[in-house]
Coordinates of all heavy atoms in Angstrom, one line a residue:
M1465 N 53.2 -15.2 48.2 CA 52.2 -14.9 49.2 C 52.8 -13.8 50.2 O 53.8 -14.1 50.8 CB 52.0 -16.2 50.0 CG 50.7 -16.1 50.8 SD 49.3 -16.0 49.7 CE 48.0 -15.5 50.9
N1466 N 52.2 -12.7 50.2 CA 52.6 -11.6 51.1 C 51.9 -11.6 52.4 O 50.7 -11.9 52.4 CB 52.5 -10.2 50.4 CG 53.6 -10.0 49.4 OD1 54.5 -10.9 49.2 ND2 53.5 -9.0 48.6
C1467 N 52.6 -11.2 53.4 CA 51.9 -11.1 54.8 C 50.8 -10.0 54.7 O 51.0 -8.9 54.2 CB 53.0 -10.7 55.8 SG 52.3 -10.4 57.4
Y1468 N 49.7 -10.4 55.4 CA 48.6 -9.4 55.4 C 48.8 -8.3 56.4 O 48.1 -7.3 56.4 CB 47.3 -10.2 55.7 CG 46.7 -10.8 54.5 CD1 46.8 -12.2 54.3 CD2 46.0 -10.1 53.6 CE1 46.3 -12.8 53.2 CE2 45.5 -10.7 52.4 CZ 45.6 -12.1 52.3 OH 45.1 -12.7 51.2
H1469 N 49.7 -8.6 57.3 CA 49.9 -7.6 58.4 C 51.0 -6.6 58.0 O 50.8 -5.4 58.2 CB 50.3 -8.3 59.7 CG 49.3 -9.3 60.2 ND1 48.1 -8.9 60.6 CD2 49.3 -10.7 60.2 CE1 47.4 -10.0 60.9 NE2 48.1 -11.1 60.7
C1470 N 52.1 -7.1 57.6 CA 53.2 -6.1 57.3 C 53.6 -6.1 55.8 O 54.4 -5.2 55.4 CB 54.5 -6.5 58.1 SG 55.2 -8.1 57.5
G1471 N 53.0 -6.9 55.0 CA 53.3 -6.9 53.6 C 54.5 -7.6 53.2 O 54.9 -7.7 52.0
G1472 N 55.3 -8.2 54.1 CA 56.5 -8.9 53.8 C 56.3 -10.2 53.1 O 55.2 -10.7 53.1
N1473 N 57.3 -10.6 52.4 CA 57.1 -11.8 51.6 C 57.8 -13.0 52.1 O 58.0 -14.0 51.5 CB 57.4 -11.6 50.1 CG 58.8 -11.2 49.9 OD1 59.6 -11.1 50.8 ND2 59.2 -10.9 48.6
H1474 N 58.3 -12.9 53.4 CA 59.0 -14.1 54.0 C 58.0 -14.9 54.7 O 58.1 -15.2 55.9 CB 60.1 -13.6 54.9 CG 61.2 -12.9 54.2 ND1 62.3 -12.3 54.9 CD2 61.4 -12.7 52.9 CE1 63.1 -11.8 54.0 NE2 62.6 -11.9 52.8
T1475 N 57.0 -15.4 54.0 CA 55.9 -16.2 54.7 C 56.1 -17.6 54.3 O 56.7 -18.0 53.3 CB 54.6 -15.7 54.2 OG1 54.5 -15.8 52.8 CG2 54.3 -14.3 54.6
R1476 N 55.7 -18.5 55.3 CA 55.7 -19.9 55.0 C 54.4 -20.6 55.5 O 53.7 -20.0 56.3 CB 56.9 -20.6 55.6 CG 57.1 -20.4 57.0 CD 58.6 -20.6 57.4 NE 58.9 -19.8 58.5 CZ 58.6 -20.1 59.8 NH1 58.0 -21.3 60.0 NH2 58.9 -19.4 60.8
K1477 N 54.2 -21.7 54.9 CA 53.0 -22.4 55.3 C 53.0 -22.9 56.7 O 54.0 -23.2 57.3 CB 52.8 -23.7 54.3 CG 52.5 -23.2 52.9 CD 52.2 -24.3 52.0 CE 51.8 -23.7 50.6 NZ 51.6 -24.8 49.7
H1478 N 51.8 -22.8 57.3 CA 51.7 -23.0 58.7 C 50.5 -23.8 59.1 O 49.6 -23.4 59.9 CB 51.7 -21.6 59.4 CG 51.8 -21.6 60.9 ND1 52.8 -22.1 61.5 CD2 51.0 -21.0 61.8 CE1 52.7 -21.9 62.8 NE2 51.5 -21.3 63.0
G1479 N 50.3 -24.9 58.4 CA 49.1 -25.7 58.7 C 47.9 -25.2 58.0 O 47.9 -24.4 57.1
K1480 N 46.8 -25.9 58.4 CA 45.5 -25.5 57.8 C 44.5 -25.0 58.8 O 44.6 -25.4 60.0 CB 44.9 -26.8 57.1 CG 45.7 -27.3 55.9 CD 45.2 -26.8 54.6 CE 46.1 -27.0 53.5 NZ 45.6 -27.9 52.5
T1481 N 43.6 -24.2 58.4 CA 42.5 -23.8 59.3 C 41.4 -24.9 59.3 O 41.5 -25.9 58.6 CB 41.8 -22.5 58.8 OG1 41.1 -22.8 57.6 CG2 42.8 -21.4 58.6
G1482 N 40.5 -24.7 60.2 CA 39.4 -25.7 60.4 C 38.7 -26.0 59.1 O 38.2 -27.1 58.9
N1483 N 38.5 -25.0 58.3 CA 37.7 -25.2 57.0 C 38.6 -25.6 55.8 O 38.2 -25.4 54.7 CB 36.8 -24.1 56.8 CG 37.5 -22.8 56.6 OD1 38.8 -22.7 56.6 ND2 36.8 -21.7 56.5
G1484 N 39.9 -26.0 56.1 CA 40.7 -26.4 55.0 C 41.5 -25.4 54.3 O 42.2 -25.7 53.3
K1485 N 41.4 -24.1 54.8 CA 42.2 -23.1 54.1 C 43.6 -23.1 54.6 O 43.9 -23.5 55.7 CB 41.6 -21.7 54.5 CG 40.4 -21.4 53.7 CD 40.8 -20.4 52.7 CE 39.6 -19.9 51.9 NZ 40.0 -19.0 50.9
Q1486 N 44.5 -22.7 53.7 CA 45.9 -22.7 54.0 C 46.2 -21.5 55.0 O 45.7 -20.4 54.9 CB 46.7 -22.4 52.8 CG 48.2 -22.5 53.0 CD 48.7 -23.9 53.4 OE1 48.5 -24.8 52.7 NE2 49.4 -23.9 54.5
R1487 N 47.0 -21.9 56.0 CA 47.5 -20.8 57.0 C 48.9 -20.5 56.6 O 49.7 -21.4 56.2 CB 47.4 -21.3 58.4 CG 46.1 -21.3 59.0 CD 46.1 -21.8 60.4 NE 46.9 -21.0 61.3 CZ 46.3 -19.9 62.0 NH1 45.1 -19.7 61.8 NH2 47.0 -19.2 62.8
Y1488 N 49.3 -19.3 56.9 CA 50.7 -18.9 56.7 C 51.2 -18.2 57.9 O 50.4 -17.6 58.7 CB 50.8 -17.9 55.5 CG 50.4 -18.5 54.2 CD1 49.1 -18.5 53.7 CD2 51.4 -19.1 53.4 CE1 48.8 -19.1 52.5 CE2 51.1 -19.6 52.2 CZ 49.8 -19.6 51.7 OH 49.5 -20.2 50.5
K1489 N 52.5 -18.2 58.1 CA 53.2 -17.5 59.2 C 54.2 -16.6 58.5 O 55.0 -17.0 57.7 CB 53.8 -18.4 60.2 CG 54.3 -17.8 61.4 CD 54.7 -18.8 62.5 CE 55.5 -18.2 63.6 NZ 54.6 -17.6 64.6
C1490 N 54.3 -15.4 59.0 CA 55.2 -14.4 58.5 C 56.5 -14.5 59.2 O 56.5 -14.5 60.5 CB 54.6 -13.0 58.6 SG 55.7 -11.7 58.0
G1491 N 57.6 -14.5 58.5 CA 58.9 -14.5 59.1 C 59.4 -13.2 59.5 O 60.4 -13.0 60.2
E1492 N 58.7 -12.1 59.1 CA 59.2 -10.8 59.5 C 58.5 -10.2 60.7 O 59.1 -9.8 61.6 CB 58.9 -9.8 58.3 CG 59.9 -10.2 57.1 CD 59.7 -9.3 55.9 OE1 59.3 -8.1 56.1 OE2 60.0 -9.8 54.8
C1493 N 57.1 -10.3 60.7 CA 56.4 -9.8 61.9 C 56.0 -10.9 62.8 O 55.6 -10.7 64.0 CB 55.2 -8.9 61.5 SG 53.9 -9.8 60.8
G1494 N 56.2 -12.2 62.4 CA 55.9 -13.3 63.2 C 54.4 -13.6 63.4 O 54.1 -14.5 64.2
R1495 N 53.6 -12.9 62.7 CA 52.1 -13.2 62.9 C 51.7 -14.2 61.8 O 52.3 -14.4 60.8 CB 51.4 -11.9 62.7 CG 51.7 -10.9 63.8 CD 51.2 -9.5 63.5 NE 49.8 -9.4 63.9 CZ 49.2 -8.2 63.8 NH1 49.8 -7.2 63.3 NH2 47.9 -8.2 64.1
S1496 N 50.6 -14.9 62.1 CA 50.1 -15.8 61.2 C 48.8 -15.3 60.6 O 48.1 -14.5 61.2 CB 49.9 -17.2 61.9 OG 48.9 -17.1 62.9
F1497 N 48.4 -15.8 59.5 CA 47.2 -15.3 58.8 C 46.7 -16.4 57.9 O 47.4 -17.3 57.5 CB 47.5 -14.0 58.1 CG 48.5 -14.1 57.0 CD1 48.2 -14.4 55.7 CD2 49.9 -14.0 57.3 CE1 49.2 -14.5 54.7 CE2 50.9 -14.1 56.4 CZ 50.5 -14.4 55.1
R1498 N 45.4 -16.2 57.5 CA 44.8 -17.2 56.6 C 44.9 -16.6 55.2 O 45.1 -15.4 55.0 CB 43.3 -17.3 56.9 CG 43.0 -18.3 58.0 CD 41.5 -18.2 58.2 NE 41.1 -16.8 58.5 CZ 39.9 -16.3 58.2 NH1 39.1 -17.0 57.5 NH2 39.6 -15.1 58.5
E1499 N 44.8 -17.5 54.2 CA 44.6 -17.1 52.9 C 43.3 -16.3 52.8 O 42.3 -16.7 53.3 CB 44.5 -18.4 52.0 CG 45.0 -18.3 50.7 CD 44.9 -19.7 50.1 OE1 44.2 -20.6 50.5 OE2 45.7 -20.0 49.2
D1500 N 43.4 -15.2 52.1 CA 42.2 -14.4 51.8 C 41.2 -14.2 52.9 O 40.1 -14.6 52.9 CB 41.4 -15.3 50.7 CG 40.4 -14.4 50.0 OD1 40.6 -13.2 50.0 OD2 39.5 -15.0 49.4
P1501 N 41.7 -13.5 53.9 CA 40.8 -13.2 55.1 C 39.6 -12.3 54.8 O 38.7 -12.2 55.6 CB 41.8 -12.6 56.1 CG 42.8 -12.0 55.3 CD 43.0 -12.8 54.1
C1502 N 39.7 -11.6 53.7 CA 38.7 -10.5 53.5 C 37.5 -11.0 52.7 O 36.6 -10.2 52.4 CB 39.3 -9.4 52.8 SG 40.4 -8.5 53.8
A1503 N 37.4 -12.2 52.2 CA 36.4 -12.6 51.3 C 35.6 -13.8 51.9 O 35.7 -14.8 51.3 CB 36.9 -12.9 50.0
P1504 N 34.9 -13.6 53.0 CA 34.2 -14.7 53.5 C 33.2 -15.3 52.5 O 32.4 -14.5 52.0 CB 33.5 -14.2 54.7 CG 33.5 -12.7 54.6 CD 34.6 -12.3 53.7
G1505 N 33.2 -16.5 52.2 CA 32.3 -17.1 51.3 C 32.5 -16.9 49.8 O 31.8 -17.4 49.0
Y1506 N 33.5 -16.0 49.5 CA 33.8 -15.8 48.1 C 35.1 -16.4 47.7 O 36.1 -16.1 48.3 CB 33.8 -14.3 47.9 CG 33.0 -13.9 46.6 CD1 31.7 -13.6 46.6 CD2 33.7 -14.1 45.4 CE1 31.0 -13.3 45.5 CE2 33.0 -13.8 44.2 CZ 31.7 -13.4 44.3 OH 31.0 -13.2 43.1
P1507 N 35.1 -17.3 46.7 CA 36.4 -17.9 46.4 C 37.4 -16.9 45.9 O 37.1 -16.0 45.1 CB 36.0 -18.8 45.2 CG 34.5 -18.8 45.1 CD 34.0 -17.6 45.9
E1508 N 38.6 -17.1 46.4 CA 39.7 -16.2 46.0 C 39.9 -16.0 44.5 O 40.2 -15.0 44.0 CB 41.0 -16.6 46.7 CG 42.1 -15.6 46.6 CD 43.3 -16.0 47.4 OE1 43.4 -17.2 47.7 OE2 44.0 -15.1 47.8
T1509 N 39.8 -17.1 43.9 CA 40.1 -17.1 42.4 C 39.1 -16.2 41.7 O 39.4 -15.5 40.8 CB 40.1 -18.5 41.8 OG1 38.9 -19.2 42.3 CG2 41.3 -19.3 42.2
A1510 N 37.8 -16.4 42.1 CA 36.8 -15.6 41.5 C 37.0 -14.1 41.8 O 36.9 -13.2 40.9 CB 35.4 -16.0 42.0
K1511 N 37.4 -13.8 43.0 CA 37.6 -12.4 43.4 C 38.8 -11.8 42.5 O 38.7 -10.7 42.0 CB 38.0 -12.3 44.8 CG 38.2 -10.9 45.3 CD 38.5 -11.0 46.8 CE 39.2 -9.6 47.3 NZ 39.5 -9.7 48.7
E1512 N 39.8 -12.6 42.4 CA 41.0 -12.2 41.6 C 40.6 -11.9 40.1 O 41.0 -11.0 39.5 CB 42.1 -13.2 41.6 CG 43.1 -13.0 42.7 CD 44.1 -14.1 42.7 OE1 44.2 -14.9 41.7 OE2 44.7 -14.3 43.8
R1513 N 39.8 -12.8 39.6 CA 39.3 -12.7 38.2 C 38.5 -11.5 38.0 O 38.6 -10.7 37.0 CB 38.5 -14.0 37.8 CG 38.7 -14.3 36.4 CD 37.9 -15.6 36.0 NE 38.1 -16.6 37.0 CZ 37.2 -17.6 37.3 NH1 36.0 -17.5 36.8 NH2 37.5 -18.5 38.1
I1514 N 37.6 -11.2 39.0 CA 36.8 -10.0 38.9 C 37.6 -8.7 39.0 O 37.4 -7.8 38.2 CB 35.7 -10.1 40.0 CG1 34.7 -11.2 39.7 CG2 34.9 -8.8 40.1 CD1 33.9 -11.6 40.8
L1515 N 38.5 -8.7 39.9 CA 39.3 -7.5 40.1 C 40.2 -7.3 38.9 O 40.5 -6.2 38.4 CB 40.2 -7.6 41.4 CG 39.3 -7.5 42.7 CD1 40.3 -7.6 43.9 CD2 38.6 -6.2 42.7
R1516 N 40.7 -8.4 38.3 CA 41.5 -8.2 37.1 C 40.7 -7.7 35.9 O 41.1 -6.8 35.2 CB 42.1 -9.6 36.7 CG 43.3 -9.4 35.8 CD 44.1 -10.7 35.7 NE 44.5 -11.2 37.0 CZ 44.6 -12.5 37.4 NH1 44.2 -13.4 36.6 NH2 45.0 -12.8 38.6
A1517 N 39.5 -8.2 35.8 CA 38.6 -7.7 34.8 C 38.3 -6.2 35.0 O 38.3 -5.4 34.0 CB 37.3 -8.4 34.8
Y1518 N 38.2 -5.8 36.2 CA 38.0 -4.4 36.5 C 39.2 -3.5 36.1 O 39.0 -2.5 35.5 CB 37.7 -4.2 38.0 CG 37.4 -2.7 38.3 CD1 36.2 -2.2 38.1 CD2 38.4 -1.9 38.9 CE1 35.9 -0.9 38.4 CE2 38.1 -0.6 39.2 CZ 36.9 -0.1 39.0 OH 36.6 1.2 39.3
Q1519 N 40.4 -4.1 36.3 CA 41.6 -3.4 35.9 C 41.7 -3.2 34.4 O 42.3 -2.3 33.9 CB 42.8 -4.0 36.5 CG 43.0 -3.7 38.0 CD 43.9 -4.8 38.7 OE1 44.4 -5.7 38.0 NE2 44.0 -4.7 40.0
E1520 N 41.1 -4.2 33.7 CA 41.1 -4.1 32.3 C 39.9 -3.3 31.8 O 39.4 -3.5 30.7 CB 41.1 -5.5 31.7 CG 42.5 -6.1 31.9 CD 42.4 -7.6 31.6 OE1 41.4 -8.1 31.1 OE2 43.4 -8.3 32.0
R1521 N 39.4 -2.4 32.6 CA 38.4 -1.4 32.2 C 37.0 -2.0 31.9 O 36.3 -1.4 31.2 CB 38.9 -0.6 31.0 CG 40.1 0.3 31.4 CD 40.7 0.8 30.1 NE 42.1 1.3 30.5 CZ 42.3 2.5 30.9 NH1 41.3 3.4 31.0 NH2 43.5 2.9 31.2
V1522 N 36.7 -3.1 32.5 CA 35.3 -3.6 32.5 C 34.6 -2.7 33.5 O 35.0 -2.5 34.6 CB 35.2 -5.1 32.8 CG1 33.8 -5.5 32.9 CG2 36.0 -5.9 31.8
S1523 N 33.4 -2.2 33.1 CA 32.6 -1.4 34.0 C 32.0 -2.2 35.1 O 31.9 -3.4 35.0 CB 31.5 -0.6 33.3 OG 30.6 -1.6 32.9
L1524 N 31.7 -1.5 36.2 CA 31.0 -2.2 37.3 C 29.8 -2.9 36.8 O 29.5 -4.0 37.3 CB 30.7 -1.2 38.4 CG 31.9 -0.7 39.3 CD1 31.4 0.3 40.3 CD2 32.5 -1.9 40.0
R1525 N 29.0 -2.2 36.0 CA 27.8 -2.9 35.5 C 28.2 -4.1 34.7 O 27.5 -5.2 34.7 CB 27.1 -1.9 34.6 CG 25.7 -2.4 34.2 CD 25.0 -1.5 33.3 NE 24.7 -0.2 33.9 CZ 24.1 0.8 33.3 NH1 23.8 0.7 32.0 NH2 23.8 1.9 34.0
G1526 N 29.3 -4.1 33.9 CA 29.7 -5.2 33.2 C 30.1 -6.4 34.1 O 29.8 -7.5 33.8
L1527 N 30.8 -6.1 35.2 CA 31.1 -7.1 36.1 C 29.9 -7.8 36.7 O 29.8 -9.0 36.9 CB 32.0 -6.5 37.3 CG 33.3 -5.9 36.9 CD1 34.0 -5.3 38.1 CD2 34.2 -7.1 36.4
T1528 N 28.9 -6.9 37.1 CA 27.7 -7.5 37.6 C 27.1 -8.5 36.7 O 26.6 -9.5 37.0 CB 26.7 -6.3 37.9 OG1 27.4 -5.3 38.6 CG2 25.5 -6.8 38.7
R1529 N 27.1 -8.1 35.4 CA 26.5 -8.9 34.4 C 27.3 -10.2 34.2 O 26.8 -11.3 34.1 CB 26.3 -8.2 33.1 CG 25.2 -8.6 32.2 CD 24.9 -7.6 31.1 NE 26.2 -7.3 30.5 CZ 26.5 -6.0 30.1 NH1 25.6 -5.1 30.2 NH2 27.6 -5.8 29.5
M1530 N 28.6 -10.1 34.1 CA 29.5 -11.2 33.8 C 29.6 -12.2 34.9 O 29.7 -13.4 34.7 CB 30.9 -10.7 33.4 CG 31.0 -10.1 32.0 SD 32.4 -9.0 31.8 CE 33.8 -10.2 32.0
F1531 N 29.7 -11.7 36.1 CA 30.0 -12.6 37.3 C 28.9 -12.7 38.3 O 29.0 -13.5 39.2 CB 31.3 -12.0 38.0 CG 32.5 -12.0 37.1 CD1 33.0 -10.8 36.6 CD2 33.2 -13.2 36.8 CE1 34.1 -10.8 35.8 CE2 34.4 -13.1 36.1 CZ 34.8 -11.9 35.5
G1532 N 27.9 -11.9 38.1 CA 26.8 -12.0 39.1 C 27.2 -11.5 40.5 O 26.6 -11.9 41.5
V1533 N 28.2 -10.6 40.5 CA 28.7 -10.1 41.8 C 28.0 -8.7 42.0 O 27.8 -8.0 41.0 CB 30.2 -10.0 41.9 CG1 30.8 -9.1 40.8 CG2 30.7 -9.7 43.2
S1534 N 27.7 -8.3 43.2 CA 27.1 -7.0 43.3 C 28.1 -5.9 43.3 O 29.3 -6.1 43.6 CB 26.3 -7.0 44.7 OG 27.2 -6.5 45.7
R1535 N 27.6 -4.8 42.8 CA 28.5 -3.6 42.7 C 29.1 -3.2 44.0 O 30.3 -2.8 44.1 CB 27.6 -2.4 42.2 CG 27.5 -2.2 40.8 CD 26.4 -1.3 40.5 NE 26.9 0.1 40.2 CZ 26.6 0.8 39.2 NH1 25.7 0.3 38.3 NH2 27.1 1.9 39.0
N1536 N 28.3 -3.3 45.0 CA 28.8 -3.0 46.4 C 29.9 -3.8 46.8 O 30.9 -3.3 47.4 CB 27.7 -3.1 47.4 CG 26.7 -1.9 47.3 OD1 27.0 -0.9 46.7 ND2 25.5 -2.1 47.9
T1537 N 29.8 -5.1 46.5 CA 30.9 -6.0 46.8 C 32.2 -5.6 46.2 O 33.3 -5.5 46.8 CB 30.6 -7.5 46.4 OG1 29.3 -7.8 47.0 CG2 31.6 -8.4 46.9
V1538 N 32.1 -5.3 44.9 CA 33.3 -5.0 44.1 C 33.9 -3.7 44.7 O 35.1 -3.5 44.9 CB 33.0 -4.9 42.6 CG1 34.3 -4.5 41.9 CG2 32.5 -6.2 42.1
T1539 N 33.0 -2.7 44.9 CA 33.4 -1.4 45.4 C 34.2 -1.6 46.7 O 35.2 -1.0 47.0 CB 32.2 -0.5 45.6 OG1 31.4 -0.6 44.5 CG2 32.7 1.0 45.7
Q1540 N 33.6 -2.5 47.6 CA 34.3 -2.7 48.9 C 35.7 -3.3 48.7 O 36.6 -2.9 49.4 CB 33.4 -3.6 49.7 CG 32.4 -2.8 50.5 CD 31.5 -3.8 51.3 OE1 31.7 -5.0 51.4 NE2 30.4 -3.2 51.8
W1541 N 35.8 -4.3 47.8 CA 37.1 -4.9 47.5 C 38.1 -3.8 47.1 O 39.2 -3.9 47.5 CB 37.0 -6.0 46.4 CG 36.3 -7.2 46.9 CD1 36.0 -7.6 48.1 CD2 35.7 -8.2 46.0 NE1 35.3 -8.8 48.1 CE2 35.2 -9.2 46.8 CE3 35.7 -8.4 44.6 CZ2 34.6 -10.3 46.3 CZ3 35.2 -9.5 44.1 CH2 34.6 -10.5 44.9
L1542 N 37.6 -2.9 46.3 CA 38.5 -1.9 45.7 C 39.0 -0.9 46.8 O 40.1 -0.4 46.8 CB 37.9 -1.1 44.6 CG 37.5 -2.0 43.4 CD1 36.7 -1.2 42.4 CD2 38.8 -2.5 42.7
K1543 N 38.1 -0.6 47.7 CA 38.4 0.4 48.8 C 39.1 -0.2 49.9 O 40.0 0.4 50.5 CB 37.1 1.0 49.3 CG 36.5 2.1 48.4 CD 35.5 2.9 49.1 CE 34.2 2.1 49.4 NZ 33.0 2.9 49.5
K1544 N 38.8 -1.5 50.3 CA 39.3 -2.1 51.5 C 40.7 -2.6 51.4 O 41.0 -3.3 50.4 CB 38.4 -3.2 51.9 CG 38.1 -3.3 53.4 CD 37.4 -4.6 53.6 CE 36.1 -4.4 54.4 NZ 35.4 -5.6 54.6
K1545 N 41.5 -2.2 52.3 CA 42.9 -2.8 52.4 C 42.8 -4.0 53.3 O 42.0 -4.0 54.3 CB 43.9 -1.8 53.0 CG 44.1 -0.7 52.0 CD 45.3 0.1 52.4 CE 45.6 1.1 51.3 NZ 46.6 2.1 51.7
P1546 N 43.6 -5.1 53.1 CA 43.5 -6.3 53.9 C 43.7 -6.0 55.4 O 43.0 -6.6 56.2 CB 44.7 -7.1 53.4 CG 44.9 -6.6 52.0 CD 44.5 -5.2 52.0
E1547 N 44.5 -5.0 55.7 CA 44.7 -4.6 57.1 C 43.5 -4.2 57.8 O 43.4 -4.2 59.0 CB 45.8 -3.5 57.3 CG 47.2 -4.0 56.9 CD 47.4 -4.0 55.4 OE1 46.5 -3.6 54.6 OE2 48.5 -4.3 55.0
A1548 N 42.5 -3.7 57.1 CA 41.3 -3.1 57.7 C 40.3 -4.2 58.0 O 39.3 -4.0 58.6 CB 40.7 -2.1 56.7
C1549 N 40.6 -5.5 57.7 CA 39.7 -6.5 57.9 C 39.5 -6.9 59.4 O 40.5 -6.8 60.1 CB 40.1 -7.8 57.2 SG 39.9 -7.7 55.5
P1550 N 38.3 -7.3 59.8 CA 38.2 -7.8 61.2 C 38.9 -9.1 61.3 O 39.1 -9.8 60.3 CB 36.7 -8.0 61.3 CG 36.1 -8.0 60.0 CD 37.1 -7.3 59.1
P1551 N 39.4 -9.4 62.5 CA 40.2 -10.7 62.6 C 39.4 -11.9 62.4 O 38.2 -11.9 62.6 CB 40.6 -10.7 64.1 CG 39.9 -9.6 64.8 CD 39.3 -8.7 63.7
Ligands
ZN2972 ZN1 54.3 -9.9 58.5

């Protein structure tokens, strides 16, 4: 688990959020963050699976058909860096 703020991997578990998500605290920059802050309402595993399929050269249209995810959503995931997320 890498820190969303500085990318460091000295993170440890830091309790849970109100909705049961794991929280982490970074030992390098000292900030805390949630698991998967960029995908509100979208399960992290699904997102990972979709992005992995994309890396294996599945077309955006194919992803739409296979996972029912919109092209725009995938494009945003590909463009957006975690640091750019709103808090
Ligand atoms: Zn950090």
Side-chain angles (χ1 to χ4, degrees):
M1465 195 69 195
N1466 285 353
C1467 175
Y1468 280 103
H1469 301 293
C1470 70
N1473 59 2
H1474 295 177
T1475 54
R1476 54 204 153 77
K1477 292 188 175 174
H1478 190 58
K1480 294 263 169 120
T1481 66
N1483 60 7
K1485 280 260 187 182
Q1486 184 65 55
R1487 280 176 70 85
Y1488 294 87
K1489 188 169 167 85
C1490 177
E1492 291 181 29
C1493 68
R1495 296 166 83 177
S1496 60
F1497 58 95
R1498 277 175 305 146
E1499 210 171 24
D1500 197 22
C1502 290
Y1506 223 94
E1508 187 173 23
T1509 47
K1511 182 178 165 182
E1512 267 175 19
R1513 212 179 310 149
I1514 292 165
L1515 290 179
R1516 198 166 303 142
Y1518 182 77
Q1519 282 157 8
E1520 287 165 14
R1521 295 164 194 274
V1522 176
S1523 68
L1524 285 178
R1525 190 183 293 177
L1527 293 176
T1528 310
R1529 209 169 44 220
M1530 284 161 67
F1531 299 101
V1533 64
S1534 87
R1535 268 165 102 128
N1536 283 344
T1537 306
V1538 180
T1539 317
Q1540 272 175 12
W1541 288 345
L1542 295 171
K1543 278 195 292 204
K1544 218 189 235 176
K1545 294 193 168 170
E1547 289 82 358
C1549 288

